[in-house]
Amino acid sequence: MKQQLFQKTTVRLTAVYLAVLMLLAVVFSIALFRVSVSELDRNYVHAVDFANNFVGFRLDPQLADNYLSDRTLERDEGHQHLIKQLVVLGAVILVSGGFFSYALARRTLEPIEEAHMSLERFTADASHELRTPLTTMRTEIEVALLNPELNVKESRKLLESNLEEVDRLSILSERLLTLARLDEYELPHENVAVSELVSKSIEATHARAAAKDVTLKKKLSGAASLATVQGDEASLSEALIILLDNAVKYSEKGATVIVEASTRYKSVLIAVKDKGIGIETADIPKIFERFYRADQSRTRANEHGYGLGLALAHKIIDLHTGKIEVTSTPGKGSTFTVLLPLA
Ligand code: ADP
């Protein structure tokens, strides 16, 4: 259905491009025809003048007639030849223009088609992710309601479990909304102090780290502690919190996560280092895709998530003309590095 719509639009756009091209070709041909005809006619007028004034022709009118009819023939043939050439040129433009217009229409529509397909994939993934916790909650509630002797302890357990799912749903919807917001609005550009940015992000992750007995350490070089970047503080902080949250999530209990900041040329480098489970080399190019979660049994079994965090962090850093990179060794840990241009 969608494929058909894109095919139809391609054909329509090809027709529009071709019509514009042919219109230009016709206007150009008419102009060329007029100029050439006036040139031919001018030569003919010269010939007629010559025939009228040449003394030899006055003495021999037959010769003058022959001369003039030759020139008339020449002029008429010139006109016909010109028309033929313009018709051939028009046909060549029509055929090659048809191919060219089709190629151009495909090129114009390709990014729109790709964006459309990615949006469809995104919507399908998002609805799947939204359905899963809802189904879990529904099943738990239904089972509880079927139990006529449901006691307070069991009810509490059910409510706690439901609350967990609700929390997960709110994180998911918040991330989905932020992703959509980032697509639509331009981010504010303010001066953001790197030191404050790192401190605030650590503070925001502190409770989750403490729950897992993970220590968060901040190490700033002298230059980095004075550095500022241009951008939206809330979004940049969100990106760092995602990296810190992941570092905590994928580390063992009691581990240490270090946030290091330094400057290099005209950039500031913020690295989040953990000694957690690490990422397989094959997964590294995919972890920034929306909804991608590395399929390590430990990742999925122990830690909840939707695979949206890194996609969001990547987008935020991209919007700040920065870069986000990762180096990781499975079983040894990962380092996510954010590079941002200095203000
Ligand atoms: P999730 O909600 O699953 O954490 P993310 O987009 O934040 O989603 O991360 C995508 C995947 O990248 C995760 O599922 C995990 O497999 C991997 N990953 C991200 N950060 C780390 C890390 N610090 N250590 C190990 N694996 C990580």
Side-chain angles (χ1 to χ4, degrees), residues 48-69:
V48 173
D49 275 354
F50 177 68
N52 288 339
N53 297 325
F54 186 50
V55 184
F57 282 157
R58 279 199 210 140
L59 296 174
D60 189 346
Q62 184 60 41
L63 193 65
D65 275 355
N66 286 349
Y67 174 78
L68 272 179
S69 64

Side-chain angles (χ1 to χ4, degrees), residues 247 250-252 255-257 272-280 296 298 327-335:
Y250 302 112
S251 286
E252 296 291 333
T256 301
V257 169
V272 178
K273 297 182 173 179
D274 69 62
K275 292 200 166 19
I277 61 170
I279 306 160
E280 295 290 338
Q296 288 154 324
R298 285 166 71 195
T327 52
S328 185
T329 317
K332 294 234 163 98
S334 318
T335 300

Side-chain angles (χ1 to χ4, degrees), residues 98-118:
F99 283 114
F100 174 73
S101 302
Y102 181 74
L104 201 65
R106 290 275 338 128
R107 247 188 109 112
T108 315
L109 288 177
E110 229 161 52
I112 302 171
E113 197 173 347
E114 251 165 48
H116 186 84
M117 265 152 55
S118 133

Side-chain angles (χ1 to χ4, degrees), residues 242 246-247 249-250 274 277-279 287 292-294 296 299 304-311 334 336:
I242 288 168
N246 279 349
K249 256 188 350 190
Y250 302 112
D274 69 62
I277 61 170
I279 306 160
I287 54 171
Y292 187 83
R293 303 198 73 208
Q296 288 154 324
T299 309
H304 294 295
Y306 293 101
L308 277 180
L310 287 181
S334 318
F336 282 82

